[in-house]
Amino acid sequence: HKENERRIRLLMREVNHRVKNQFSVIISMIRETSRLTSTPEAFLGQVRERIMALSESHDLLVNAEWRGATVGELIQAQLKAFAAQSRVSMAGPMVILQPNAVQYLGIAFHELATNSAKHGALSCSGGRVEIDWNVIPAGDGADTFRLVWHELDGPVLDAVRGRGFGVVVLERVAPQALSGSGRLEFHEQGVTWTLEAPLPFVQTSVADNAAL
């Protein structure tokens, strides 16, 4: 009985922390979106879509009792609204993301998928997306998580077009939240986004799960 109470207290503390973190993310989204939209209708639509994307990540965490989610689960959750599963391939080892990584990578995947559906590989019938991730081992134990979103067979993109909130998320917000770096490249067939971050800031630990 006491053990159950302890688990509930720990879980509520974790939920409280994550909800406060989500509030910060939402405020940031609203601020950046307001700067980059020209009409109230566009502002409302984009904020609604981004909050729904956060909600998808939140649902994953709730269903897992805030233990985290795998990379594949998160990608599938964020891309299901675009009905593009048949044109998206995923490959990588089993990595269970910690809650903070689920939230920020979820936002990143949403921005990538939205841009791709409007302007990139997922906007045309022959386009496709390859998502690969791996863990790069280091001799000193400081392993690196590396993920690449790579679009193929899409329309020619104009790099100038993509200087909105999505670029801010992909190059600054999401990578910095994971103490890593993000690089967004525009090429003839679509975009490539590369994220590198220290594995401890991405992957949940056995100790974290044991605590809950």
Side-chain angles (χ1 to χ4, degrees):
H1 181 70
K2 288 184 177 180
E3 176 62 21
N4 287 338
E5 289 181 350
R6 186 189 70 85
R7 283 173 53 84
I8 291 171
R9 285 196 301 271
L10 286 171
L11 184 59
M12 292 304 297
R13 191 179 306 146
E14 177 72 10
V15 169
N16 182 55
H17 172 70
R18 297 305 172 188
V19 168
K20 286 183 177 179
N21 186 50
Q22 280 197 339
F23 287 156
S24 298
V25 174
I26 290 170
I27 290 170
S28 175
M29 286 196 310
I30 291 173
R31 182 175 59 248
E32 294 291 340
T33 304
S34 67
R35 291 176 49 225
L36 299 165
T37 50
S38 56
T39 67
E41 292 77 14
F43 170 77
L44 179 61
Q46 290 186 29
V47 168
R48 182 190 296 116
E49 289 175 1
R50 285 161 178 156
I51 290 178
M52 289 303 296
L54 270 178
S55 176
E56 291 289 350
S57 297
H58 182 85
D59 286 345
L60 279 179
L61 292 173
V62 169
N63 291 336
E65 296 184 345
W66 290 85
R67 288 186 172 90
T70 68
V71 178
E73 288 171 341
L74 181 60
I75 293 170
Q76 290 173 347
Q78 290 297 337
L79 267 62
K80 67 182 180 182
F82 299 90
Q85 287 90 336
S86 63
R87 293 193 285 148
V88 177
S89 65
M90 299 183 294
M94 171 71 76
V95 174
I96 301 178
L97 302 169
Q98 57 182 259
N100 189 59
V102 170
Q103 291 178 327
Y104 281 97
L105 283 179
I107 296 170
F109 291 141
H110 169 77
E111 296 298 330
L112 285 163
T114 298
N115 181 74
S116 185
K118 290 180 178 178
H119 311 295
L122 297 181
S123 69
C124 59
S125 59
R128 54 196 174 92
V129 178
E130 294 179 349
I131 309 171
D132 300 287
W133 64 92
N134 64 316
V135 175
I136 303 171
D140 59 358
D143 296 350
T144 298
F145 174 80
R146 186 174 191 268
L147 181 142
V148 179
W149 168 294
H150 183 55
E151 298 187 14
L152 297 165
D153 301 324
V156 177
L157 292 178
D158 178 5
V160 177
R161 173 193 289 162
R163 305 314 301 179
F165 179 71
V167 174
V168 174
V169 167
L170 297 168
E171 293 186 338
R172 181 163 55 86
V173 176
Q176 288 182 4
L178 305 177
S179 296
S181 62
R183 185 174 72 254
L184 188 64
E185 301 169 284
F186 295 82
H187 50 83
E188 288 189 358
Q189 295 184 327
V191 303
T192 296
W193 180 60
T194 304
L195 169 79
E196 291 188 351
L199 188 62
F201 287 88
V202 176
Q203 184 177 32
T204 190
S205 70
V206 175
D208 290 339
N209 282 335
L212 294 176

